[in-house]
Amino acid sequence: MDLNSDLGESLGAWRMGDDDAMLGIVSSANVACGFHAGDAAGILRTLRAAARQGVTVGAHVAYPDLAGFGRRNMDVASADLVADVIYQIGALKGLAAVAGTTVRYVKPHGALYNTIAHDERQARDVIEAIRAIDASLYLVGLAGSPLLDWAQESGLRTVAEAFADRAYTPNGTLVSRREKGAVLHDANEVAARMLRLATEGVVTAIDGSTVRIEADSICVHGDSPGAVEMAREVRALLERSGVRVQSFVDAPVAQAHS
């Protein structure tokens, strides 16, 4: 099972998360590309740290929304969205080359992630952008979403993702951050949920029902309170229970959908 986190999100004097600590725990790092968070110097530091730790790097592309941290919905024209995604991946590729690592996948951020999970027009724009700049990149998306089918039909390799610190609805979607109980904070509870996900393929939804989630990667948000403790507990419990934590790019071919 892959364990990932959103990193490189500090901006100037504004510090977000603890990248160095998180890079000692996760197997994949979704690195900001400057559109929702992150500045060039900070992103480069994160990439260099990822290279030192041997952590797989992905481009955490987003809407152009620094003020809203990329969490505001945007009706972006196709030409703009395609170019924006190409621009972000290209920028991260350049910084990664200097840092001694490579970009191996793309994981959209925030509102873009949620929108393209079901919005076919914007989803195909993102898919087009990835294929245009580097068709070998994996696309990480919400487990069970139509996005993964559209991407696979286009020839992209996909990775289905679950969220450690987010509550699920009975139909397998994420509970909106605007609703009570959407974000989980108890590290032990979160770790137990993710062990069940990894071994049984199910999680308990917010209403107490059981929902099936088939995922290849687990995300712990780097900006969540206690994120490092949570990620550390998730990894420790998985490994104590015999679940190997490794990046999907290192996993058997059958694990990542193609």
Side-chain angles (χ1 to χ4, degrees):
M1 177 66 73
D2 177 59
L3 185 61
N4 77 73
S5 188
D6 305 340
L7 304 176
E9 293 182 326
S10 295
L11 179 63
W14 178 43
R15 311 313 296 170
M16 177 67 78
D18 186 343
D19 286 8
D20 287 340
M22 195 66 84
L23 285 167
I25 302 168
V26 299
S27 48
S28 298
N30 321 311
V31 181
C33 302
F35 270 43
H36 77 280
D39 57 59
I43 292 169
L44 183 57
R45 284 194 299 272
T46 297
L47 290 168
R48 283 174 167 153
R52 287 194 300 271
Q53 296 276 15
V55 174
T56 298
V57 167
H60 204 31
V61 301
Y63 290 132
D65 182 27
L66 281 174
F69 197 63
R71 288 180 176 157
R72 297 183 293 190
N73 292 326
M74 291 188 173
D75 185 16
V76 182
S78 289
D80 292 326
L81 184 53
V82 171
D84 283 351
V85 172
I86 292 172
Y87 183 96
Q88 292 175 80
I89 296 171
L92 196 69
K93 277 176 167 281
L95 289 167
V98 172
T101 186
T102 57
V103 176
R104 301 296 304 278
Y105 67 93
V106 175
K107 177 189 165 181
H109 164 83
L112 179 60
Y113 182 100
N114 293 327
T115 296
I116 67 172
H118 302 283
D119 183 309
E120 185 170 2
R121 195 271 296 177
Q122 290 202 35
R124 292 199 181 279
D125 292 339
V126 172
I127 292 167
E128 178 185 340
I130 296 170
R131 286 177 52 80
I133 190 167
D134 187 349
S136 73
L137 296 172
Y138 292 79
L139 174 60
V140 176
L142 184 65
S145 67
L147 168 66
L148 300 181
D149 293 329
W150 297 327
Q152 289 169 34
E153 290 166 3
S154 78
L156 289 181
R157 292 177 294 180
T158 63
V159 177
E161 179 181 43
F163 288 84
D165 49 4
R166 293 292 302 278
Y168 280 85
T169 68
N171 64 2
T173 60
L174 299 176
V175 175
S176 169
R177 285 180 178 269
R178 293 186 293 271
E179 296 185 26
K180 183 179 179 181
V183 180
L184 309 178
H185 302 287
D186 186 304
N188 292 325
E189 175 193 0
V190 166
R193 283 168 60 86
M194 292 302 96
L195 176 60
R196 192 177 183 201
L197 171 82
T199 57
E200 301 176 36
V202 298
V203 297
T204 301
I206 196 166
D207 67 349
S209 63
T210 298
V211 58
R212 178 158 293 279
I213 306 287
E214 296 184 7
D216 307 307
S217 184
I218 294 170
C219 176
V220 176
H221 285 101
D223 64 323
S224 298
V228 172
E229 176 192 357
M230 190 176 296
R232 185 176 290 120
E233 187 61 32
V234 169
R235 178 159 191 156
L237 183 58
L238 289 176
E239 291 183 333
R240 286 200 304 270
S241 304
V243 178
R244 183 177 181 182
V245 175
Q246 63 178 10
S247 171
F248 46 82
V249 302
D250 300 320
V253 174
Q255 181 171 323
H257 304 289
S258 58

